[in-house]
Amino acid sequence: MKKLLFVAALFIGLFVNAQETDTEKQARAMELMSKKVEITVDEALFKAVMQNTYVSESPKAVIMGMYVPETFENAKKKLEENTEDQKFEVTDHGEKEINGVKVLYMYGKSTAEGVALDNKVYCYEIDKDTCLMLIGMYEVGVDKKYSDAVNTALNSAIKKQD
């Protein structure tokens, strides 16, 4: 399961510049990482392993949310730059509206622990300097209740900001 969570972390790495040296920005990133994401997860299928991260052991599946210190426009540029990443195969990406909110999305395939995974990444603006990243991953061919639960959880966290 650690490798599966590592793959999920790679998606977050697309949007957060790990080489950032600005101490203030790093401190803000740490603060945002500790912020609770309001997400509805089917607790009969997924268990919380840490704040904002839920897993299913068998079949393998992950739901993760994280606030990131990024503008929407920068997140969009990073998504477009990373669609040819070797760690996963991007099958579709762009912008769409979910729950009345403009969302960046990226769908793709990856492998972790020898298991082929379908991946969904959503990113949307919280304020001018913050986005919310949502990641859902599940085994290819998984029982529909798991893929539906991932989709429901991701969509539950996408809300208009006041």
Side-chain angles (χ1 to χ4, degrees), residues 72 76 79 93-107 121-125 132-134 154-155 157-160:
F72 186 80
K76 183 176 178 178
L79 175 93
H93 73 283
E95 284 184 46
K96 66 180 177 176
E97 190 171 298
I98 300 174
N99 301 334
V101 177
K102 182 169 62 170
V103 176
L104 299 173
Y105 73 92
M106 183 167 54
Y107 302 147
V121 179
Y122 294 127
C123 179
Y124 74 98
E125 182 178 73
L132 177 60
M133 288 271 308
L134 300 164
L154 296 179
N155 288 341
I158 300 172
K159 300 174 180 94
K160 286 187 178 183

Side-chain angles (χ1 to χ4, degrees), residues 12-134:
I12 292 172
L14 292 177
F15 293 89
V16 179
N17 186 348
Q19 297 175 354
E20 178 65 55
T21 57
D22 180 14
T23 305
E24 192 173 297
K25 188 169 183 177
Q26 288 178 350
R28 184 162 180 271
M30 294 301 289
E31 176 187 332
L32 288 172
M33 285 174 53
S34 67
K35 188 175 177 182
K36 175 82 174 131
V37 174
E38 294 300 320
I39 189 168
T40 304
V41 176
D42 186 336
E43 294 177 5
L45 301 177
F46 294 87
K47 68 177 183 178
V49 292
M50 49 196 221
Q51 182 169 279
N52 305 323
T53 305
Y54 308 87
V55 299
S56 165
E57 289 287 336
S58 181
K60 293 189 183 326
V62 174
I63 299 167
M64 180 185 279
M66 179 185 290
Y67 292 96
V68 294
E70 200 63 74
T71 67
F72 186 80
E73 286 307 311
N74 282 345
K76 183 176 178 178
K77 286 177 191 171
K78 287 180 180 183
L79 175 93
E80 290 169 357
E81 291 169 2
N82 288 291
T83 56
E84 295 182 16
D85 192 294
Q86 303 84 6
K87 300 187 181 37
F88 59 93
E89 173 193 345
V90 175
T91 57
D92 193 15
H93 73 283
E95 284 184 46
K96 66 180 177 176
E97 190 171 298
I98 300 174
N99 301 334
V101 177
K102 182 169 62 170
V103 176
L104 299 173
Y105 73 92
M106 183 167 54
Y107 302 147
K109 299 194 178 295
S110 64
T111 303
E113 301 175 352
V115 176
L117 301 166
D118 282 323
N119 307 280
K120 291 187 172 197
V121 179
Y122 294 127
C123 179
Y124 74 98
E125 182 178 73
I126 298 300
D127 61 38
K128 68 180 183 74
D129 297 314
T130 310
C131 287
L132 177 60
M133 288 271 308
L134 300 164

Side-chain angles (χ1 to χ4, degrees), residues 40-42 45-46 61 63 120 137-139 142-156:
T40 304
V41 176
D42 186 336
L45 301 177
F46 294 87
I63 299 167
K120 291 187 172 197
M137 307 167 73
Y138 47 85
E139 285 185 42
V142 72
D143 185 305
K144 188 169 173 15
K145 69 182 177 183
Y146 285 91
S147 58
D148 287 350
V150 167
N151 292 333
T152 298
L154 296 179
N155 288 341
S156 77

